[in-house]
Amino acid sequence: MAPLLEARGLSRSFGHVRALDDASFDIEAGEVVALIGDNGAGKSTLVKALTGNLPVDSGELYFEGAPVTIHSPHQASEMGMEVVYQDLALAPHLNPVQNMFLGREIPRKGLLGSLGFMDEKKMRATAEAGFAELGGTVRSFTAPVGAMSGGQRQQIAIVRAISWADKIVFLDEPTAALGVVQTRNVLDTIKRVRDKGIAVVLISHSMPHVLQVADRIQVMRLGTRVATMPAEGTTVEQLVGAMTGALDSQTVKRKENAS
Amino acid sequence: MSVITPPGQAPDQQAVIEPPARQSYLRRAANLQSVWILGVLVVIIAAFSAAAGTKFLSTSNFSLISQNIAVWAVLGVGMTFVIITSGIDLSIGSVLVFSSVIAAKIMESVGGDGWSTAAAGIGGALASGIAWGALNGFLIAKAKIPPLIVTLGALSVALGLAQVLTGGIDIRSVPESLTDFNTYIKILGIPALPFVALIVLIIGGIVLHKTKFGRYTYAVGSNELGARRVGINVDRHLILVYALSGACAGLGAVLALAQFGTTTIAGQSLTNLNVIAAVVIGGTSIFGGEGSIFGTVVGLFIPAVLQAGFVIVGVEAFWQGVAVGSVLVAAVYVDQSRRAAALRGSSRPSFLALLGAKKAKEPAR
Ligand SMILES: Nc1ncnc2c1ncn2[C@@H]1O[C@H](COP(=O)(O)OP(=O)(O)OP(=O)(O)O)[C@@H](O)[C@H]1O
Ligand SMILES: [Mg+2]
């Protein structure tokens, strides 16, 4: 069966910087793929290129086996893909509920709904249920999110993404600002989302977390995928080696064994 | 704010201390500006009442005040939307003039003093206002020219074209149905113009605070990229918001014709600044993302009440400018320090932070 989403040979330059250099990527339904690499390796750029946030100079994208071009993040979300961006895409002046439903407001029934009136009660109830499921520390649903802590904001962005995605969730360093308990909740949530058959792409600099939740790990260096390895049986040392290039020959071997 | 660790004792590694909820604080801080400014208005009214008594507190005085701000209130609704998107519309005064010239020309050529004549003029004024606004919005959203520049250009062009159309001479042929509407009609005890303004304010408030259109207005001003990412058609929304501002200017043109019985070609050069001042005094942030129609109403009353009060108390009206300018700068200062406090994560309202900052400078012991 064809992968759920596959990218072949994506390239993208910013001036002299080749942020993506013939990068490939693939993920199956119900799989957690971790994307790792040093700062500036091109992870965020790859996610943006996969989700309609960034046009590429060359390369192809296949969704459920068919070639696609994704022109906008909106198109990506209509295809069932949601992103938690590294630079959080929340509106700081709006509250968590308003943010969660931004662009997807539930209309009131009848004439008022067609005039653009919103069902605030229903949106709030749905949002609260979503936050309860994540076990988050977001307690106020009426305060603007700009006034909340970085971790609380991150939780809001995560809840928003997993509530809407039905094919793939991209999480770009979702636990970077989170406390111990919240991080564990997010990792548990990732597994729960995966068990529902939704694929998860996780970018993280924390190797233990990566090994804990990922099924497969793709390593990026200098804008390209340098290794793919199963999480099982891989050690932190091997991951770090692949990221820095110290273990190139070994990773290639592992890759051959894996395929 | 601070987590106090007793000296000589390492923070407990095991315990996970979750940040306390500070919603109630922040909610209040978020509303502070319009509440604070309402307090200022109440103080001003109280002061003039103490000084002039019933002469100031009379119905006729407040009826006059509301008459004076009716046109600005209508413009203020559109301006509030525009400023919440973090834009600005400098062209409203000129668009008002242009629209009133169009309306007057249409009514002149139709002839007569009846309501059908007026209706033709009203239609013309609204169409002209919407066209100018949509043009502004198009240049801002699609050509990516900053709002300040686009609307500054429109200010100049619209006024210039109005002068070309009239040779610079005001048109005085306004049908009686329109001027009588202003002079004689009262609805629910409120003079006609303020009543129309009130209706526009209420509709504007409902649209801004209760509908998707309003929600997207805040979202665009708060985080434009975020709004685009969730699929909001930001360009279209901006065009609609500026068109709304233009429509308000068109309606304002009709009200001004009814009020003065003539076009006011030379009389609107400061209208844009007065309306912007009212909106900003009312707590709508020029950085976008926050604001309210209620705040704009309060912001409109402050200069108007000051003016009326100064006249009654016998202070030279020139002082009004001094007072309004000071309130404007103070209001924006408070707004800004409140934002800075929010960025630092402080839950302390800025107004108090001002006093607190002085205290903090004193040596601790
Ligand atoms: N909009 C942009 N303009 C210019 N250069 C960019 C842009 N976006 C990314 N780059 C460059 O592309 C390279 C890859 O950046 P990217 O953000 O994808 O790295 P990353 O792997 O996500 O790193 P990090 O772990 O720090 O998040 C960097 O060298 C960066 O400077
Ligand atoms: Mg990144």
Side-chain angles (χ1 to χ4, degrees), chain B residues 224-265:
Chain B
E224 189 182 323
L225 178 61
R228 281 185 203 279
R229 278 171 173 170
V230 297
I232 295 173
N233 190 336
V234 173
D235 293 355
R236 203 193 78 166
H237 195 81
L238 283 174
I239 293 172
L240 288 176
V241 165
Y242 282 90
L244 171 69
S245 181
C248 289
L251 183 58
V254 176
L255 298 190
L257 284 175
Q259 189 172 8
F260 302 112
T262 167
T263 58
T264 45
I265 295 174

Side-chain angles (χ1 to χ4, degrees), chain B residues 112 313 316 333 336:
Chain B
V313 177
E316 274 181 301
Y333 175 76
Q336 249 176 13

Side-chain angles (χ1 to χ4, degrees), chain A:
Chain A
M1 213 184 89
L4 176 56
L5 179 71
E6 185 182 6
R8 289 190 206 143
L10 298 184
S11 292
R12 166 72 202 229
S13 300
F14 295 104
H16 302 299
V17 183
R18 295 210 80 176
L20 289 180
D21 186 4
D22 201 20
S24 297
F25 179 83
D26 64 277
I27 188 166
E28 308 278 348
E31 185 185 31
V32 179
V33 170
L35 203 53
I36 63 169
D38 267 338
N39 293 127
K43 307 179 296 293
S44 299
T45 310
L46 177 62
V47 167
K48 285 182 183 155
L50 292 173
T51 53
N53 279 285
L54 186 77
V56 290
D57 302 332
S58 63
E60 295 100 50
L61 224 53
Y62 300 86
F63 189 74
E64 296 178 325
V68 285
T69 330
I70 303 175
H71 299 283
S72 70
H74 184 53
Q75 188 189 348
S77 40
E78 284 186 335
M79 293 163 71
M81 303 194 271
E82 292 293 328
V83 189
V84 174
Y85 297 91
Q86 194 169 15
D87 48 337
L88 297 173
L90 301 175
H93 300 90
L94 300 185
N95 69 38
V97 181
Q98 293 169 335
N99 263 293
M100 182 164 159
F101 282 91
L102 194 57
R104 295 180 167 108
E105 290 78 5
I106 301 177
R108 294 251 303 248
K109 290 210 178 66
L111 179 67
L112 283 180
S114 41
L115 284 175
F117 286 83
M118 302 168 287
D119 192 340
E120 305 276 3
K121 260 194 203 149
K122 200 163 167 188
M123 291 197 282
R124 173 150 181 181
T126 314
E128 281 183 20
F131 285 104
E133 201 185 331
L134 188 67
T137 57
V138 177
R139 293 205 199 84
S140 168
F141 295 97
T142 49
V145 304
M148 296 185 182
S149 80
Q152 289 172 327
R153 262 181 276 177
Q154 216 150 22
Q155 292 167 33
I156 293 161
I158 292 169
V159 171
R160 177 167 81 175
I162 61 178
S163 322
W164 299 118
D166 46 24
K167 292 275 167 61
I168 312 180
V169 189
F170 294 83
L171 302 167
D172 196 345
E173 302 194 22
T175 55
L178 297 190
V180 182
V181 172
Q182 286 71 42
T183 299
R184 204 170 57 216
N185 285 341
V186 168
L187 296 181
D188 289 345
T189 305
I190 290 175
K191 290 183 193 156
R192 224 168 31 233
V193 169
R194 187 238 347 247
D195 294 343
K196 282 198 276 186
I198 297 167
V200 180
V201 178
L202 170 69
I203 298 182
S204 175
H205 288 292
S206 162
M207 295 307 123
H209 292 162
V210 163
L211 289 173
Q212 198 183 327
V213 293
D215 299 311
R216 220 151 41 95
I217 299 161
Q218 311 200 10
V219 185
M220 290 196 74
R221 178 148 39 88
L222 299 173
T224 191
R225 178 169 74 182
V226 292
T228 305
M229 39 181 101
E232 216 170 296
T234 301
T235 63
V236 171
E237 288 70 32
Q238 285 171 318
L239 292 180
V240 174
M243 281 198 290
T244 55
L247 287 178
D248 267 0
S249 53
Q250 267 179 304
T251 54
V252 170
K253 233 182 272 160
R254 276 193 64 88
K255 201 173 154 191
E256 278 162 5
N257 291 347
S259 57

Side-chain angles (χ1 to χ4, degrees), chain B residues 48 54 108 136-137 220 255 259 263 294 354:
Chain B
F48 280 125
T54 49
E108 207 174 37
N136 281 338
V220 167
L255 298 190
Q259 189 172 8
T263 58
F294 173 73
L354 251 182

Side-chain angles (χ1 to χ4, degrees), chain B residues 56-70:
Chain B
F56 178 80
L57 264 183
S58 63
T59 340
S60 66
N61 185 36
F62 275 88
S63 157
L64 186 73
I65 290 174
S66 59
Q67 203 107 12
N68 286 341
I69 60 173

Side-chain angles (χ1 to χ4, degrees), chain A residues 90 92-93 105 116 120 140, chain B residues 23 211-212 215-216 222-223:
Chain A
L90 301 175
H93 300 90
E105 290 78 5
E120 305 276 3
S140 168
Chain B
Q23 61 266 34
T211 70
K212 244 159 61 163
R215 181 71 43 86
Y216 292 177
S222 182
N223 183 348

